[in-house]
Amino acid sequence: MPAFLRPVRLISWLALVSVVAPVALLAQDPPLGSLTFPNSGSAAAQRSFIRGVLLLHSFEYEDAAKEFQTARQTDPAFALAYWGDAMTRTHGLWNEQDSSAARKILADLGPTPEARAAKAPTARERGYLAAVEALYGPGSKPRRDTLYSRAMARLVTQFPDDDEAKAFYALSLMGLSQGVRNVASYVQAGAIALELLERHPDHPGAAHYVIHAFDDPIHAPLGLRAATAYSRIAPGADHAQHMTTHIFLALGMWPEVVAQNTIAAGADSSRWQAGHYTVWLGYGLTQEGRFRDAHGLLQRLHVQLPATVTAGRRASLAILRAHQVINAESWDDPSLAWPIDLTDATVVPRAIDAFAQGYAGQQRGDVSAAQRGISAIRALGGSTPRGYGELPEVPRILAGMLEAGVLRAGGNQEKAIAMLDSLGKVVETLPVDFGPPDLVKPVHELLGAWLLAAGRAREAEQAFTRALELAPGRLRSLQGLVAAATAANDPEVAGTARRNLDTLRDVADPGVVAIR
């Protein structure tokens, strides 16, 4: 049976029994996992230093920096404390780097690389310093990232028993592609991290990097053990609670997506803000068919949005609204009238918002709304900055889907289907997506619906099948596949997809999982 058609509850049950060995946490408050990192710092600085490294592995960069700064204050000659502080200024997977701040930190240790190296009493510690010098040395960011990764590879070769070097080397491989997934380097990193996790089942970096390496629908089963372990390894890191869902979402495990992002968002829901965790939470609720709960979350985040708020939080609210409107098929949703200022947002959130407004109007029969959406996306051009992971093809595809819809509304159904099919071929060339899709109405899902309406059931079944390969467990694709496979007289596929839908029956809003 194809992975995308496996019952969601079966995958969830397998996750519970495929866990790594029991976790023995380092004595901490709160727990963050454990690791071994020999160094020449004073005994008084050890707790802060180790805690800083643990936080660094869980991408809790601000808290990690505070710990490394405490270690520096405790032991001003502790070279690796400066190394750790500088490392918090690089967020490789997010393609973010504050090299100026990092260079100032290194300058506090010594005025030159040579002077800084002299502060490190062992060859191994000098190797760590040499790597961070390459990371923040001269040259472009891609070149410095490459030099850093090579330096970490040399450190691993020179000290083959240094598992921390291996962990940071794995992370460096995933940072080489400047925020865009490169399958070869990600798989290489994942192999290293998997080996580390086998030997160190409570190491936060090992679990975290396995998840990042395999958080796409093709490779996600390789990350399932890490995903079921990571939240227990580092319960003191909010990112660890969320990060597990990179695998769960890729496998269509919606109860786990909802549960873990609820934890990550914080115990006090009155303080929740629109952001990464709540976008994933809202998307998980829609995929469970819990549209009323998803709308309640959207409404709450809108009400709780501070008067002064970052562009990222406003963009998150707009993205959450788009997923809600399109997945709930709520074309007259009152939230569409909310003014959300996206003038300083990056290109993809603005394109998503314009698409959602245009697509909802299109479904209401308002072709002019679709035209406005097309114009708004086209107006973005190449001048609007792109954020982490944003692909330049996404706005063009979103605009193209609206254009195809306008053709279809005008009676040119075959040309519209051909146009959508061409856009699907573009999607096939893109890096494999992770997380709630930027193409908030997936091309293959929409193509399947149009083909089914045109009486081309077998082709529609193929389109919905491909949609589920790219986004396993997606509610509207499963509903479409049941309808298309039934019309195509394919009871086996229809039955399997229906059983997947039935797993949601107890949590979904009344009538949602019915096949239309």
Side-chain angles (χ1 to χ4, degrees), residues 295-320:
H295 195 276
L297 171 66
L298 176 66
Q299 179 71 35
R300 181 189 312 165
L301 295 175
H302 178 242
V303 170
Q304 292 171 186
L305 198 69
T308 302
V309 66
T310 64
R313 294 209 181 278
R314 282 182 270 113
S316 292
L317 185 66
I319 292 169
L320 189 60

Side-chain angles (χ1 to χ4, degrees), residues 462-487:
Q462 294 170 351
F464 284 122
T465 295
R466 184 56 180 150
L468 285 162
E469 289 171 346
L470 294 170
R474 189 173 156 83
L475 175 61
R476 296 306 187 191
S477 294
L478 281 171
Q479 290 178 320
L481 182 58
V482 172
T486 300

Side-chain angles (χ1 to χ4, degrees), residues 47-79:
R47 180 177 176 81
S48 294
F49 175 76
I50 294 298
R51 189 170 174 82
V53 178
L54 290 166
L55 288 162
L56 189 59
H57 280 310
S58 286
F59 294 179
E60 299 288 352
Y61 293 112
E62 291 185 10
D63 289 339
K66 292 175 184 176
E67 295 291 348
F68 288 125
Q69 288 157 18
T70 298
R72 287 174 51 185
Q73 293 164 3
T74 304
D75 184 356
F78 187 4

Side-chain angles (χ1 to χ4, degrees), residues 135-211:
L135 184 61
Y136 298 120
S140 66
K141 180 181 179 295
R143 174 170 171 73
R144 289 185 281 108
D145 289 342
T146 299
L147 293 175
Y148 167 70
S149 186
R150 290 175 181 173
M152 291 309 301
R154 289 193 296 272
L155 190 61
V156 168
T157 299
Q158 188 177 1
F159 299 97
D161 295 330
D162 186 350
D163 286 338
E164 287 307 296
K166 291 175 185 176
F168 285 112
Y169 175 51
L171 180 59
S172 77
L173 290 170
M174 292 187 285
L176 290 176
S177 50
Q178 307 302 302
V180 177
R181 179 183 297 273
N182 177 283
V183 172
S185 60
Y186 270 57
V187 169
Q188 182 183 357
I192 295 169
L194 274 173
E195 189 271 335
L196 289 175
L197 188 60
E198 283 294 321
R199 291 189 290 106
H200 305 289
D202 55 352
H203 191 292
H208 191 183
Y209 306 151
V210 167
I211 292 169

